[in-house]
Amino acid sequence: MEAFSAALGGWHSMYGWEFLDRPARTADWPGEPSLTVDLRPGPAPHTLFWFTEGWKAGEGTGYCIEGTVEFAGLEVTRADGTPVPVEEFIADARHYWDVLFGRRGAPPQPQVVPAAAPSWRQPVPFEDED
């Protein structure tokens, strides 16, 4: 996995919303995952579905890399370190995406991701070879 990740010429940050405790997100996955890393014994009560999209420069092939993380506890904080109750975080995020997709309320104001946004790797700019 490390060699494959290092070979990617670029990738996007994780985005979207419906990723906490959403078993339908993985309903079409094969019964046996291609990679499993066990850090704790047995299943946990919550799951986090994650994904990112990446590509290899010059290859023209995109990859969607996805997985799940099982966990027992989650701590959410605002940028200033103020704790946010998990239930509030989930409710606010669901409301935001309902508004964004026109299911209720007014559309949100555009947001810009800061240059110092958290990332699991340094992004590499995509170079279009066309």
Side-chain angles (χ1 to χ4, degrees), residues 11-16 51-53 113 117-121 123:
W11 48 84
H12 297 291
S13 298
M14 185 175 118
Y15 62 91
F51 68 96
T52 187
E53 296 167 336
V113 176
S119 176
W120 69 288
R121 292 191 184 275

Side-chain angles (χ1 to χ4, degrees), residues 76-96:
V76 180
T77 59
R78 299 188 195 290
D80 66 2
T82 306
V84 178
V86 173
E87 295 77 14
E88 180 182 327
F89 171 73
I90 292 170
D92 287 350
R94 285 192 175 142
H95 176 79
Y96 175 89

Side-chain angles (χ1 to χ4, degrees), residues 7-107:
L8 292 177
W11 48 84
H12 297 291
S13 298
M14 185 175 118
Y15 62 91
W17 166 241
E18 297 180 330
F19 48 79
L20 287 175
D21 296 335
R22 304 296 290 202
R25 299 294 302 203
T26 60
D28 62 344
W29 285 10
E32 183 66 30
S34 59
L35 175 67
T36 300
V37 178
D38 290 323
L39 302 176
R40 54 174 281 144
H46 299 285
T47 58
L48 167 77
F49 169 78
W50 64 268
F51 68 96
T52 187
E53 296 167 336
W55 56 89
K56 290 185 179 181
E59 190 176 282
T61 302
Y63 299 91
C64 181
I65 304 165
E66 55 190 357
T68 58
V69 176
E70 295 181 350
F71 62 95
L74 178 66
E75 181 178 306
V76 180
T77 59
R78 299 188 195 290
D80 66 2
T82 306
V84 178
V86 173
E87 295 77 14
E88 180 182 327
F89 171 73
I90 292 170
D92 287 350
R94 285 192 175 142
H95 176 79
Y96 175 89
W97 285 93
D98 281 348
V99 170
L100 184 67
F101 290 119
R103 294 188 286 248
R104 64 178 171 167

